[in-house]
Amino acid sequence: MALTPETLPRHELNGLYVEVVDAANPDLVGIAGRIVIETMQTLHVEDRVDGDSRVRQVPKQGTVFEFRLTDETADPAKGSGTTSKPGIPTGDDVAYVTVDGVRLLSRPALRTETTGDSKWR
């Protein structure tokens, strides 16, 4: 199953670029980087600040994430569920997908294990 904006919540999230755009805890807004670990309740994001890298734990509950899909995963037509950041020259191969963290609150392995044509079976 291809990684598209519609299927994003059912895919492996490790390695994807993510930014926290809204959260119950305002201190989390603006955290951005690659997902290095995903658990049932949290995403661990490698956040780079002033040249230093650290992994920050972000709860899924009460948080809205914006994922950056690139290359073949981005819908060139920018279909439903995708936006392009205005004013940022990203090229035609980037789509930004906003996902409420509640949609990601299942066990990561089970999201793909029994649905679609996953190779996890």
Coordinates of all heavy atoms in Angstrom, one line a residue, residues 81-116:
G81 N -6.7 16.6 2.0 CA -5.9 16.3 3.2 C -4.5 16.8 3.1 O -3.7 16.6 4.0
T82 N -4.1 17.4 2.0 CA -2.8 18.0 1.8 C -2.8 19.5 1.6 O -3.8 20.0 1.1 CB -2.0 17.3 0.6 OG1 -2.7 17.8 -0.6 CG2 -2.0 15.8 0.7
T83 N -1.7 20.1 2.1 CA -1.6 21.5 1.8 C -0.1 21.8 1.5 O 0.8 20.9 1.8 CB -1.9 22.4 3.1 OG1 -1.0 22.0 4.1 CG2 -3.3 22.1 3.5
S84 N 0.2 22.9 0.9 CA 1.5 23.3 0.7 C 1.7 24.5 1.6 O 0.8 25.4 1.7 CB 1.8 23.7 -0.8 OG 1.7 22.5 -1.6
K85 N 2.9 24.6 2.2 CA 3.1 25.7 3.1 C 3.3 27.0 2.2 O 4.2 27.0 1.3 CB 4.3 25.5 3.9 CG 4.1 24.5 5.0 CD 5.0 24.7 6.1 CE 4.8 23.7 7.2 NZ 4.1 24.2 8.3
P86 N 2.5 28.0 2.4 CA 2.7 29.2 1.5 C 4.0 29.9 1.8 O 4.4 30.0 3.0 CB 1.5 30.1 1.9 CG 1.1 29.6 3.2 CD 1.5 28.1 3.3
G87 N 4.7 30.3 0.7 CA 5.9 31.1 0.9 C 7.1 30.2 1.1 O 8.2 30.7 1.2
I88 N 7.0 28.9 1.2 CA 8.2 28.1 1.3 C 8.4 27.3 0.0 O 7.6 26.6 -0.4 CB 8.0 27.0 2.5 CG1 7.8 27.8 3.8 CG2 9.1 26.1 2.6 CD1 7.5 26.9 5.0
P89 N 9.5 27.5 -0.6 CA 9.8 26.9 -1.9 C 10.1 25.4 -1.6 O 11.3 25.1 -1.3 CB 11.0 27.6 -2.5 CG 11.7 28.2 -1.3 CD 10.6 28.4 -0.2
T90 N 9.2 24.5 -1.8 CA 9.4 23.1 -1.5 C 9.5 22.3 -2.7 O 9.8 21.1 -2.6 CB 8.2 22.6 -0.6 OG1 7.0 22.8 -1.3 CG2 8.2 23.3 0.7
G91 N 9.1 22.8 -3.9 CA 9.1 21.9 -5.1 C 7.8 21.3 -5.2 O 6.9 21.4 -4.4
D92 N 7.6 20.6 -6.3 CA 6.3 19.9 -6.6 C 6.2 18.6 -5.9 O 5.1 18.0 -6.0 CB 6.2 19.7 -8.1 CG 6.0 21.1 -8.8 OD1 5.5 22.0 -8.2 OD2 6.4 21.1 -10.0
D93 N 7.2 18.1 -5.3 CA 7.2 16.7 -4.7 C 7.0 16.7 -3.2 O 7.4 15.7 -2.6 CB 8.4 16.0 -5.1 CG 9.7 16.6 -4.7 OD1 9.6 17.8 -4.2 OD2 10.8 16.0 -4.8
V94 N 6.4 17.7 -2.6 CA 6.2 17.8 -1.2 C 4.8 18.1 -0.9 O 4.2 19.0 -1.5 CB 7.1 18.8 -0.5 CG1 6.9 18.9 0.9 CG2 8.6 18.5 -0.8
A95 N 4.2 17.3 0.0 CA 2.9 17.6 0.5 C 2.9 17.6 2.0 O 3.6 16.8 2.6 CB 1.9 16.5 0.0
Y96 N 2.1 18.5 2.7 CA 2.0 18.5 4.1 C 0.7 18.0 4.5 O -0.3 18.4 4.0 CB 2.3 19.9 4.6 CG 3.7 20.4 4.4 CD1 4.1 21.0 3.2 CD2 4.6 20.2 5.4 CE1 5.4 21.4 3.1 CE2 5.9 20.6 5.3 CZ 6.3 21.2 4.1 OH 7.6 21.5 3.9
V97 N 0.7 17.0 5.4 CA -0.6 16.4 5.8 C -0.7 16.6 7.3 O 0.1 16.2 8.1 CB -0.5 14.9 5.5 CG1 -1.8 14.2 5.9 CG2 -0.2 14.6 4.1
T98 N -1.9 17.1 7.7 CA -2.2 17.3 9.1 C -3.0 16.2 9.7 O -4.0 15.8 9.1 CB -3.0 18.7 9.3 OG1 -2.2 19.7 8.7 CG2 -3.2 19.0 10.8
V99 N -2.6 15.6 10.8 CA -3.3 14.5 11.4 C -3.4 14.7 12.9 O -2.5 15.1 13.6 CB -2.4 13.2 11.2 CG1 -3.1 12.0 11.9 CG2 -2.2 12.9 9.7
D100 N -4.6 14.5 13.4 CA -4.9 14.6 14.8 C -4.3 13.4 15.5 O -4.5 12.3 15.0 CB -6.4 14.6 15.1 CG -6.7 14.9 16.5 OD1 -6.1 14.3 17.4 OD2 -7.6 15.8 16.8
G101 N -3.5 13.6 16.5 CA -2.9 12.5 17.2 C -3.8 11.3 17.6 O -3.3 10.2 17.8
V102 N -5.0 11.6 17.9 CA -6.0 10.6 18.3 C -6.1 9.5 17.2 O -6.2 8.3 17.5 CB -7.4 11.2 18.6 CG1 -8.4 10.1 18.8 CG2 -7.3 12.1 19.8
R103 N -5.9 9.8 15.9 CA -6.0 8.9 14.8 C -4.8 7.9 14.9 O -4.8 6.9 14.2 CB -6.0 9.6 13.5 CG -7.3 10.3 13.3 CD -7.4 10.8 11.9 NE -7.4 9.8 10.9 CZ -7.1 10.1 9.6 NH1 -6.8 11.3 9.2 NH2 -7.1 9.1 8.7
L104 N -3.7 8.2 15.7 CA -2.5 7.4 15.7 C -2.4 6.6 17.0 O -1.4 6.1 17.3 CB -1.3 8.3 15.6 CG -1.3 9.2 14.4 CD1 -0.1 10.2 14.4 CD2 -1.2 8.5 13.1
L105 N -3.5 6.6 17.8 CA -3.4 6.0 19.1 C -3.6 4.5 19.2 O -4.0 4.0 20.2 CB -4.4 6.6 20.1 CG -4.0 8.0 20.6 CD1 -5.2 8.6 21.5 CD2 -2.8 7.9 21.5
S106 N -3.3 3.8 18.2 CA -3.3 2.3 18.2 C -1.9 1.8 18.3 O -1.0 2.5 18.1 CB -4.1 1.8 17.0 OG -3.4 2.1 15.8
R107 N -1.8 0.5 18.5 CA -0.4 -0.1 18.5 C 0.1 0.1 17.1 O -0.5 -0.3 16.2 CB -0.5 -1.5 18.9 CG -0.9 -1.8 20.3 CD -0.8 -3.3 20.7 NE -1.3 -3.5 22.0 CZ -0.6 -3.4 23.1 NH1 0.6 -3.1 23.0 NH2 -1.2 -3.7 24.3
P108 N 1.3 0.6 17.0 CA 1.9 0.9 15.7 C 1.9 -0.3 14.7 O 1.5 -0.2 13.6 CB 3.3 1.4 15.9 CG 3.2 2.0 17.3 CD 2.2 1.2 18.0
A109 N 2.2 -1.5 15.3 CA 2.3 -2.7 14.4 C 0.9 -3.1 14.0 O 0.7 -3.6 12.9 CB 3.0 -3.8 15.2
L110 N -0.1 -2.9 14.8 CA -1.5 -3.3 14.4 C -2.1 -2.4 13.4 O -3.1 -2.8 12.7 CB -2.4 -3.4 15.7 CG -2.0 -4.4 16.7 CD1 -3.0 -4.4 17.9 CD2 -2.0 -5.8 16.1
R111 N -1.7 -1.2 13.2 CA -2.3 -0.3 12.3 C -2.1 -0.9 10.9 O -3.0 -0.7 10.0 CB -1.6 1.1 12.3 CG -2.1 1.9 13.5 CD -1.8 3.4 13.2 NE -0.5 3.7 12.7 CZ 0.5 4.1 13.5 NH1 0.3 4.4 14.7 NH2 1.7 4.4 13.0
T112 N -1.0 -1.6 10.6 CA -0.8 -2.1 9.2 C -0.9 -3.6 9.1 O -1.0 -4.1 8.1 CB 0.6 -1.7 8.7 OG1 1.6 -2.2 9.6 CG2 0.7 -0.2 8.6
E113 N -0.9 -4.2 10.3 CA -0.9 -5.7 10.3 C -2.1 -6.4 9.6 O -1.9 -7.3 8.9 CB -0.8 -6.2 11.7 CG -0.4 -7.6 11.9 CD -0.2 -8.0 13.3 OE1 1.0 -7.8 13.8 OE2 -1.1 -8.3 14.0
T114 N -3.3 -5.9 9.8 CA -4.4 -6.6 9.3 C -5.2 -5.8 8.3 O -6.3 -6.2 8.0 CB -5.4 -6.9 10.5 OG1 -5.7 -5.7 11.2 CG2 -4.7 -7.8 11.5
T115 N -4.7 -4.7 7.8 CA -5.4 -3.9 6.8 C -4.6 -3.7 5.6 O -3.4 -3.5 5.6 CB -5.7 -2.5 7.4 OG1 -5.9 -2.6 8.8 CG2 -6.9 -1.9 6.8
G116 N -5.3 -3.8 4.5 CA -4.6 -3.5 3.2 C -3.6 -4.6 2.8 O -3.7 -5.8 3.2

